[in-house]
Amino acid sequence: MSEALAVRTDAAELAPPLHPNPSPRELGALAVSCLQLEVETYPKPGLVSHIDNGSHGDMDAALLHRSARALEPFFVSLAEAGAAGAGMDRLRAIGVAAEAVMLKATSGVNTHRGAIFGLGLLCAAAGAAREESLGLTVRRRYGRAIAEGPVPLRSHGAEARRNFGASGARGEAAAGFPTVYQTGAPALIDGLKRSGGDFEAARVQAIFALIARVTDTNLLHRGAAAGLVFAQSEARGFLQSGGVGAADWRDEAARIHAAFVARRLSPGGSADLLAFSLFVHALEHGDPAFEAEPISCRPHDFSRLESLL
């Protein structure tokens, strides 16, 4: 069995049993599964998938799966911290430790820094007693601390803020992840309807919807303003042509993917938001599966996990 195939089956084996009040362990497993489902999505413009490496010469699907698995204990710890009412300083400390383990697992490649931040906050919110949306919990509990917290000077997001005025991941999180709620999660549902229940197609619909809307700091870093304009235009064209409801959607999405790769464009911020959208949708969509007894995935069967997302 190839490493790529091995890590793909791991995602199904890690799929957690879910119910209305998931434990920190279950939330950590769900966070990892959402990161792995993002990898298992194709065609996805410029991004690494189980098919190819997109615009990235330093990472592949196996590396991303390995990174995601290494982060699971930290997502569990973040959910526990949220349940304990911890403040942003504690969450940052866990995030710093998670980033160190990620870099060790990937030999120094930044695979999931943005996901540690965003999914970490969502895990903390999900760990707390929830009487509101995860996004509102993040904004209410941590929004001010996020907005006023330390700013890394050498990140892509910091460069984009200085050069283009983009708010980036910090602004999105401080506001309660409005793009997840207004674009990503609704696009998953829309994609399922358009495709007749194809879960990978739903994720493709969501990533194109996110690229079309988001001022993605990764696109700005790689392609400046012209790269962002090109990416958003291509994504909007795909959606306006019917998205995954069009008969030739896979061919058109693959063409756009190739165009991104030719320009070395990679919408990494949108990829993170896809994982966040999967996480939020799984916990908040109200699927009857969450009202039943805990359920689990059969080994090597992605369809059961996908049916929850």
Side-chain angles (χ1 to χ4, degrees):
M1 179 184 295
S2 69
E3 184 178 7
L5 181 57
V7 295
R8 290 185 69 187
T9 58
D10 280 352
E13 293 165 355
L14 287 173
L18 296 172
H19 49 75
N21 296 297
S23 69
R25 179 189 64 79
E26 291 166 338
L27 291 168
L30 176 61
V32 172
S33 294
C34 291
L35 291 177
Q36 294 184 316
L37 280 174
E38 185 276 319
V39 179
E40 300 301 314
T41 303
Y42 180 88
K44 195 175 51 183
L47 295 162
V48 175
S49 74
H50 57 285
I51 301 298
D52 62 42
N53 298 351
S55 298
H56 295 268
D58 60 346
M59 63 181 76
D60 58 17
L63 184 72
L64 288 171
H65 280 294
R66 185 162 67 248
S67 172
R69 290 196 302 270
L71 295 175
E72 184 169 358
F74 299 97
F75 289 132
V76 173
S77 294
L78 286 157
E80 291 172 340
M88 195 63 196
D89 286 346
R90 175 58 181 155
L91 302 190
R92 284 195 186 100
I94 298 171
V96 168
E99 184 173 326
V101 169
M102 173 197 75
L103 293 173
K104 182 177 181 180
T106 63
S107 300
V109 179
N110 171 22
T111 45
H112 286 123
R113 182 176 290 143
I116 291 169
F117 176 65
L119 266 181
L121 286 166
L122 290 169
C123 282
R130 291 190 289 115
E131 298 179 356
E132 57 193 9
S133 73
L134 298 181
L136 185 57
T137 299
V138 170
R139 187 178 72 188
R140 181 174 55 82
R141 288 193 171 204
Y142 310 117
R144 182 171 180 177
I146 293 168
E148 297 178 353
V151 179
L153 298 178
R154 296 183 179 180
S155 70
H156 296 167
E159 292 177 6
R161 281 190 295 274
R162 287 193 297 269
N163 297 332
F164 303 102
S167 62
R170 284 165 57 92
E172 175 75 15
F177 298 97
T179 306
V180 167
Y181 284 90
Q182 296 169 16
T183 301
L188 288 170
I189 298 171
D190 181 43
L192 281 173
K193 292 177 180 177
R194 288 177 182 270
S195 65
D198 183 325
F199 295 103
E200 183 177 37
R203 300 195 301 272
V204 171
Q205 182 78 9
I207 194 70
F208 273 91
L210 289 163
I211 294 168
R213 174 172 178 175
V214 173
T215 303
D216 195 310
T217 57
N218 288 270
L219 287 172
L220 288 170
H221 172 73
R222 283 176 171 256
L228 177 65
V229 168
F230 171 83
Q232 291 183 330
S233 176
E234 289 289 300
R236 288 169 184 154
F238 176 81
L239 297 171
Q240 290 166 2
S241 297
V244 298
D248 63 343
W249 74 264
R250 288 189 182 275
D251 290 339
E252 179 62 8
R255 180 196 68 77
I256 296 171
H257 172 55
F260 274 51
V261 172
R263 291 165 174 78
R264 297 192 66 253
L265 296 174
S266 177
S270 298
D272 288 340
L273 287 165
L274 173 58
F276 305 167
S277 298
L278 289 165
F279 187 87
V280 165
H281 180 73
L283 293 178
E284 295 186 357
H285 182 239
D287 191 298
F290 300 123
E291 300 170 9
E293 291 299 313
I295 54 179
S296 60
C297 290
R298 297 187 301 276
H300 316 310
D301 181 3
F302 261 103
S303 63
R304 192 68 186 96
L305 171 60
E306 288 177 320
S307 70
L308 300 178
L309 301 175

